[in-house]
């Protein structure tokens, strides 16, 4: 099983939403999504995990590596709605990764409230498998 992802830019704030299972087979796909994020945005990146069913140690390490990549590019990474198992990205030599309870809280931390009329300046990219059910914040 793999992941699907959607990347949205909202007023200098990137939101990478991830759905599925972030395991060993999906880690390269996540890394590719982070490459997409690096090439198409600026500013902080919130990784929205509200549609993620679970993650493995390899998936958590992929997130730690993403934090390193983004920091090297002068950007930061934050997490919103970690999987229900309550595990966190393991401590290590990566930059600090703030964790928010949900996407609304993460947006509020950046003074970027989201409403349906806030479409101007919004850009979005997604994998072909991203489902309408995963569009809870679009």
């Amino acid at each position: 099983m793999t992941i699907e992802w959607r990347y949205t830019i909202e007023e200098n704030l990137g939101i990478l939403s991830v759905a599925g299972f972030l395991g060993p087979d999906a880690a390269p796909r996540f890394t590719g999504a982070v490459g997409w994020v690096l090439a198409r945005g600026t500013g902080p990146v919130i990784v929205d995990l509200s549609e993620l069913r679970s993650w493995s140690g390899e998936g958590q390490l992929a997130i730690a590596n993403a934090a390193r990549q983004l920091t090297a590019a002068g950007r930061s990474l934050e997490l919103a709605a970690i999987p229900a198992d309550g595990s966190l990205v393991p401590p290590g030599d990566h930059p600090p990764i703030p964790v928010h309870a949900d996407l609304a809280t993460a947006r509020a931390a950046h003074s970027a409230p989201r409403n349906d009329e806030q479409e101007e300046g919004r850009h979005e990219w997604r994998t072909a498998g991203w489902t309408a059910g995963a569009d809870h914040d679009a």
Side-chain angles (χ1 to χ4, degrees):
M1 180 177 284
T2 188
I3 58 164
E4 299 298 333
W5 60 267
R6 177 184 64 204
Y7 179 57
T8 308
I9 299 173
E10 301 173 358
E11 296 186 26
N12 201 36
L13 178 64
I15 300 172
L16 177 61
S17 300
V18 181
F21 173 68
L22 185 51
D25 295 339
R29 187 170 180 135
F30 178 79
T31 300
V34 172
W36 192 271
V37 166
L38 284 166
R40 286 167 180 80
T42 61
V45 175
I46 298 169
V47 179
D48 174 21
L49 302 174
S50 57
E51 294 291 328
L52 193 69
R53 287 190 294 276
S54 186
W55 54 3
S56 69
E58 292 89 348
Q60 293 173 8
L61 289 175
I63 289 176
N65 288 335
R68 281 188 208 92
Q69 284 182 286
L70 287 162
T71 298
R75 300 174 71 183
S76 62
L77 180 140
E78 301 176 22
L79 299 178
I82 62 170
D85 66 5
S87 60
L88 295 173
V89 174
D93 63 346
H94 56 80
I97 302 175
V99 177
H100 303 278
D102 55 33
L103 185 55
T105 304
R107 279 188 175 116
H110 293 277
S111 300
R114 177 79 177 106
N115 61 47
D116 292 336
E117 297 171 7
Q118 185 184 14
E119 293 298 322
E120 187 176 327
R122 177 181 162 105
H123 302 282
E124 180 177 290
W125 299 268
R126 63 177 74 204
T127 56
W130 187 264
T131 62
D135 285 338
H136 64 280
D137 65 326

